[in-house]
Amino acid sequence: MRLSLLSKSAFSFAALTFCFAVVLETKPAAASFSVVADGLDNVRGLSFGPDGSLYVTEAGVGGDQLCAPSINVPNQIDCIGTSGAVTRIKDGKQERVLTGLPSRALSPTNVQGIGANDIQFDAAGNPYLLIGLAANVNYNNTPLNSPNFGELYKVDFNTGALASIADISSYEIATNPSGIFPNGDVASNPYSFTIAGDTAYIANAAGNDVLSVKLDGSNLTKVIALAGQTITNPIPPSPHAPPNQVREIEVASVPTGVAIGPDQALYISQLTGVPFPEGKASIFRVGSDGKTTVYADGFTQLTDLTFDTEGNLYALQYANQSYLKGNFDASLIQIAPDGTRRTLLSGNGLESATALTIGPDGAVYVSSKGDRPGVGQVLRIDPKAKVPESSSALGVLAFGALGVGSYLKRKHR
């Protein structure tokens, strides 16, 4: 997949002022890794089940139903189908254990897939599946014989049945009506989630907010709406632009990952929207009192985060440079409890990284090449490996298939 862009006139951005910005230096590593899964279609979220198997979501390659002009890429077509899936990696064997999930992607390239975005398990070992959406919920955009887009489901792998827990996109269109394109397309793409006790916390990338819902389907509510930030536009103005052209723009926040920290606070990774400014993505901490602070900053377009048992935080960058530069080498960065940062892997096979999880073995498993069909991988990276490093500025990133929320200003009420 390649991240789609709209013309500047087609979007506006939300505003946020960071309390401060710390530019830290880290070192790019050339760590070794192993490939534990390959050939995946727009690979996304991943999680270990109670039996030790690794489950991975594939957003799919779209299909041949309900084709229409793309809302993300001018002059291209989106088509919908049932090509989404969940793949299980067990005892070295890779197998799709759940298929027929809704998928939306550009046609005929099958890039920029949106569909099965994430999978998690509760304390009892029950699996839950999050299916994304960046489309219009005002009409039936669900492919035949398929679950709906934009919902959180409880899964029964024995029967393949999905029971809806929460309709995220309908909630967004009801409570955030400004997050809609003029043509009626809702700006909603629930991208990832985590489970703490009996509650799921969901990052809606296109909605620029984090929601929570009880696993019995009750109490769906908004935890926090993330504002954007005002930056100096890194894209030079046209030579023919008027001399008074505004150089400051507002960039949407675009939350992508959520995790519960050792302190029981909620941590949120930030992608940022167009034009994907380098060094402007942060990790936010939301305390039990609801106060939001910047836990770490200086990143570029984060897609996920998680903690290990020792309190280290792992942050995943989609690419080490602004998406607009076309280099999609990605990075996995470890942040120790004292704030020390160490890059575990940068490029060297890691690119267009979309999600991560910690395995029972303490290794970090990362979804790589998550922006296109047929070549997606899951990499295993040992965080304790000692690797040669050379001094360099902190790398930072971008991500696609997060839906229209990357481009629109949101009004949260």
Side-chain angles (χ1 to χ4, degrees), residues 161-174:
L162 274 65
S164 179
I165 300 297
D167 186 342
I168 307 302
S169 290
S170 291
Y171 176 86
E172 287 287 5
I173 201 170

Side-chain angles (χ1 to χ4, degrees), residues 22-27 281-283 294-299 313 317 333-336 338-344 389 394-396:
V22 179
V23 179
L24 296 179
E25 188 168 82
T26 190
K27 299 177 180 181
S282 298
I283 295 172
V294 175
Y295 178 77
D297 60 9
F299 303 99
L313 176 60
Q317 299 186 141
I333 299 166
Q334 180 193 70
I335 307 169
D338 66 359
T340 302
R341 300 185 188 185
R342 183 166 71 104
T343 301
L344 301 179
E389 299 179 344
L394 175 66
V396 283

Side-chain angles (χ1 to χ4, degrees), residues 98 120 122 124-130 151-157 160-166 215-216:
L98 186 62
Q120 298 292 331
D122 66 16
N126 299 305
Y128 296 82
L129 176 69
L130 184 65
E151 298 192 25
L152 176 65
Y153 295 91
K154 186 175 182 180
V155 181
D156 185 338
F157 280 119
L162 274 65
S164 179
I165 300 297
L215 295 179
D216 63 5

Side-chain angles (χ1 to χ4, degrees), residues 140-157:
N140 182 11
N141 62 351
T142 302
L144 297 174
N145 304 313
S146 167
N148 293 327
F149 284 106
E151 298 192 25
L152 176 65
Y153 295 91
K154 186 175 182 180
V155 181
D156 185 338
F157 280 119

Side-chain angles (χ1 to χ4, degrees), residues 129-285:
L129 176 69
L130 184 65
I131 297 178
L133 173 75
N136 191 339
V137 297
N138 290 316
Y139 66 85
N140 182 11
N141 62 351
T142 302
L144 297 174
N145 304 313
S146 167
N148 293 327
F149 284 106
E151 298 192 25
L152 176 65
Y153 295 91
K154 186 175 182 180
V155 181
D156 185 338
F157 280 119
N158 293 323
T159 64
L162 274 65
S164 179
I165 300 297
D167 186 342
I168 307 302
S169 290
S170 291
Y171 176 86
E172 287 287 5
I173 201 170
T175 62
N176 185 21
S178 65
I180 305 173
F181 277 120
N183 67 355
D185 286 330
V186 63
S188 176
N189 185 25
Y191 180 69
S192 71
F193 71 112
T194 191
I195 294 175
D198 64 351
T199 302
Y201 296 88
I202 304 158
N204 191 331
N208 288 321
D209 56 18
V210 174
L211 310 176
S212 68
V213 64
K214 298 294 185 182
L215 295 179
D216 63 5
S218 65
N219 199 30
L220 175 60
T221 187
K222 187 174 299 180
V223 176
I224 183 174
L226 292 177
Q229 59 180 308
T230 301
I231 66 166
T232 299
N233 191 348
I235 302 175
S238 166
H240 306 292
N244 62 344
Q245 178 172 329
V246 176
R247 293 292 296 137
E248 286 194 340
I249 58 174
E250 294 181 354
V251 179
S253 183
V254 192
T256 50
V258 283
I260 303 298
D263 57 356
Q264 301 306 302
L266 180 68
Y267 290 76
I268 306 167
S269 62
Q270 176 190 30
L271 177 78
T272 70
V274 177
F276 316 112
E278 296 180 4
K280 297 299 184 180
S282 298
I283 295 172
F284 299 100
R285 178 187 181 275

Side-chain angles (χ1 to χ4, degrees), residues 249 318 327 346:
I249 58 174
Y318 176 78
N327 184 336
S346 180

Side-chain angles (χ1 to χ4, degrees), residues 384-404:
K384 300 185 183 301
K386 301 297 182 182
V387 297
E389 299 179 344
S390 60
S391 180
S392 172
L394 175 66
V396 283
L397 316 126
F399 172 58
L402 293 176
V404 296

